[in-house]
Amino acid sequence: QVQLVESGGGLVEPGGSLRLSCVASGLTFSRYAMGWFRQVPGKKREFVGSIAFSNYYADSVKGRFTISRDNAKSTVYLQMNNLKPEDTAVYYCAAKEASRLYSDAVYSRVDSYKYWGQGTQVTVSS
């Protein structure tokens, strides 16, 4: 049984930083691309970034957010710097089998991912 468990969310002031973690179990982690998505109430879940054979980011977070992974720990991280109020959302990690046949655009699609975590709330407010 595959499980993805996010942690690290919380309340932070504008300009601050947070690091989210997502621990995976039940899959061969190194074979999977990992994505981060976020969602606010009433809106569609949106792509934040992914890590497969390269990193790929949404324009809204490029230069502020960084994704990394530790295959030995089956963990993917989302380092978020210079946070803005508009970054407030529930953040989800997701897993998809990786392939060099896929373009970055494939890894940015919600419907590309088979496994999802339960989400962690990030609130950016003064």
Side-chain angles (χ1 to χ4, degrees):
Q1 182 181 357
V2 175
Q3 280 193 311
L4 303 177
V5 180
E6 302 98 334
S7 62
L11 173 64
V12 63
E13 292 187 349
S17 298
L18 278 177
R19 188 176 81 155
L20 306 184
S21 300
C22 171
V23 179
S25 59
L27 51 75
T28 304
F29 185 73
S30 61
R31 295 181 182 175
Y32 281 76
M34 301 301 295
W36 284 98
F37 293 79
R38 64 188 182 187
Q39 189 170 23
V40 298
K43 291 192 174 182
K44 292 182 179 180
R45 193 166 297 188
E46 69 172 10
F47 172 72
V48 173
S50 62
I51 181 167
F53 301 100
S54 62
N55 288 26
Y56 181 55
Y57 299 97
D59 287 343
S60 58
V61 306
K62 205 172 292 183
R64 299 188 298 122
F65 291 11
T66 303
I67 297 175
S68 61
R69 65 190 295 161
D70 184 337
N71 288 341
K73 295 182 178 179
S74 297
T75 301
V76 62
Y77 304 97
L78 178 65
Q79 177 66 44
M80 305 185 293
N81 298 328
N82 190 22
L83 282 159
K84 304 176 181 180
E86 52 263 42
D87 295 318
T88 296
V90 177
Y91 283 71
Y92 298 90
C93 68
K96 169 184 175 51
E97 288 197 48
S99 171
R100 294 190 182 274
L101 297 177
Y102 299 141
S103 67
D104 287 336
V106 170
Y107 293 117
S108 71
R109 291 174 48 177
V110 170
D111 60 4
S112 291
Y113 289 82
K114 184 174 183 179
Y115 303 111
W116 291 85
Q118 83 289 348
T120 186
Q121 176 71 46
V122 171
T123 303
V124 184
S125 175
S126 55

